[in-house]
Amino acid sequence: PRGPKKHLKRLNAPRHWDLGKMGGVWAPKPSQGPHKQRECLPVAIILRERLKYALTGKECQQICMERCVKIDGKVRTDHNYPAGFMDVISLEKSGDLFRLLYDTKGRFVLHRIQKGEAAYKLCRIQKGYMSAKKVPVAVTHDGRTLRFPDPNVAVNDTVKVDIATGKMSDIYKFEIGAMVMITRGHNTGRVGTLEHVEKHDGSFSIVTIKDRKGNTFATRQANVFVIGSGDHPQVTLPKGRGIKKTILQERAEAEARGDL
């Protein structure tokens, strides 16, 4: 095969998109962009499967080409554009503002936000380096390069980025007691405070996290995204506040609601 693949079969689409198995052969193949193909939600799926504003892929395309969809303040006309964690999606025609976050099942949630919160996003610092002209640069999880960042910024920290200007303001350090969300792995979407970091040179540093209910769990350092300090998240959290329930708890609550 010459060149990159341009199609995606429905059965190979990421599980968390929740596409029905029998709903056709194909799925939207995310374009290249700031988020990985398996860790994103294409605009087409947001419009068609989540918001039900379109019935077909063609309609998603038309909505995008009418310049109705903004992601992080920029109009995106590509209906396969990969939106990902922490992105702000605004549909001005319908007055919708969403931030993409995870629920505790590891699925993307379109979390509705207010106008004030839509002005910024949190970005995790993935690496820092010195450019050719001796300009310090920090690279974020969504592919932004921040030139001349604050010298206190280190890898694994989170910075608050103003969407309109692309400048960073506050820093949330990766340290014991920070409030974090897990963005990959089995614990995706869980929120807790950082308890302990186990360094393993040449291997993966393991982080221990404790949630609001006192449950502790461990994950790799790369999967941890700082969202605030202490008990104050800098973004509003989706329903359930990132507390994972056991299947027994879920069943008991469903019974109490009368769903079963």
Side-chain angles (χ1 to χ4, degrees):
R2 289 188 297 184
K5 289 200 174 75
K6 289 191 162 48
H7 292 71
L8 178 66
K9 290 255 176 110
R10 207 152 180 114
L11 291 181
N12 298 336
R15 260 318 269 290
H16 62 255
W17 291 2
D18 278 340
L19 295 178
K21 186 169 80 167
M22 309 300 268
V25 178
W26 306 104
K29 165 120 174 139
S31 310
Q32 279 88 343
H35 297 277
K36 293 188 177 180
Q37 187 182 320
R38 312 291 301 182
E39 292 167 17
C40 72
L41 204 57
V43 173
I45 287 189
I46 294 174
L47 294 174
R48 187 176 66 190
E49 316 290 329
R50 300 287 183 275
L51 299 175
K52 310 278 196 281
Y53 284 162
L55 292 171
T56 60
K58 185 77 178 163
E59 287 178 13
C60 298
Q61 198 175 343
Q62 286 166 332
I63 291 172
C64 289
M65 291 313 275
E66 283 171 12
R67 305 181 79 76
C68 296
V69 182
K70 282 187 172 180
I71 296 182
D72 286 347
K74 281 204 171 68
V75 175
R76 297 291 177 189
T77 54
D78 174 13
H79 61 287
N80 291 330
Y81 182 85
F85 185 63
M86 281 290 167
D87 286 1
V88 174
I89 295 157
S90 60
L91 305 161
E92 277 158 18
K93 257 193 181 158
S94 56
D96 287 329
L97 286 170
F98 302 104
R99 190 187 297 282
L100 272 184
L101 295 167
Y102 289 110
D103 67 3
T104 50
K105 305 258 187 212
R107 301 174 297 214
F108 274 116
V109 179
L110 283 167
H111 177 59
R112 206 175 276 279
I113 52 176
Q114 299 302 319
K115 191 83 190 279
E117 203 195 322
Y120 64 87
K121 67 183 292 193
L122 300 182
C123 295
R124 183 178 192 271
I125 302 292
Q126 299 292 55
K127 64 178 180 184
Y129 65 94
M130 197 65 89
S131 79
K133 296 205 173 147
K134 295 283 184 287
V135 175
V137 179
V139 181
T140 65
H141 79 283
D142 58 349
R144 293 165 188 262
T145 48
L146 306 170
R147 301 177 77 221
F148 300 107
D150 186 307
N152 297 333
V153 167
V155 175
N156 302 322
D157 291 351
T158 294
V159 293
K160 196 176 195 171
V161 172
D162 185 304
I163 282 175
T165 59
K167 299 270 188 289
M168 53 175 270
S169 50
D170 308 351
I171 305 173
Y172 304 100
K173 299 295 287 178
F174 179 87
E175 60 195 4
I176 306 297
M179 191 172 194
V180 300
M181 191 175 212
I182 309 300
T183 55
R184 286 196 195 98
H186 205 270
N187 292 313
T188 302
R190 292 181 75 170
V191 171
T193 51
L194 216 117
E195 294 272 294
H196 182 61
V197 182
E198 240 179 83
K199 291 226 171 77
H200 297 290
D201 290 334
S203 183
F204 299 98
S205 297
I206 300 294
V207 178
T208 310
I209 291 137
K210 187 177 198 171
D211 71 9
R212 282 293 255 312
K213 292 273 188 288
N215 311 318
T216 54
F217 54 97
T219 186
R220 289 180 179 178
Q221 188 169 343
N223 305 345
V224 173
F225 192 113
V226 180
I227 55 169
S229 50
D231 217 1
H232 308 291
Q234 293 302 312
V235 293
T236 52
L237 295 174
K239 207 169 76 184
R241 302 246 160 241
I243 308 292
K244 191 169 191 164
K245 301 189 180 95
T246 64
I247 49 179
L248 295 172
Q249 287 167 326
E250 278 179 4
R251 182 186 158 82
E253 285 180 20
E255 273 180 341
R257 285 197 306 269
D259 289 350
L260 292 180

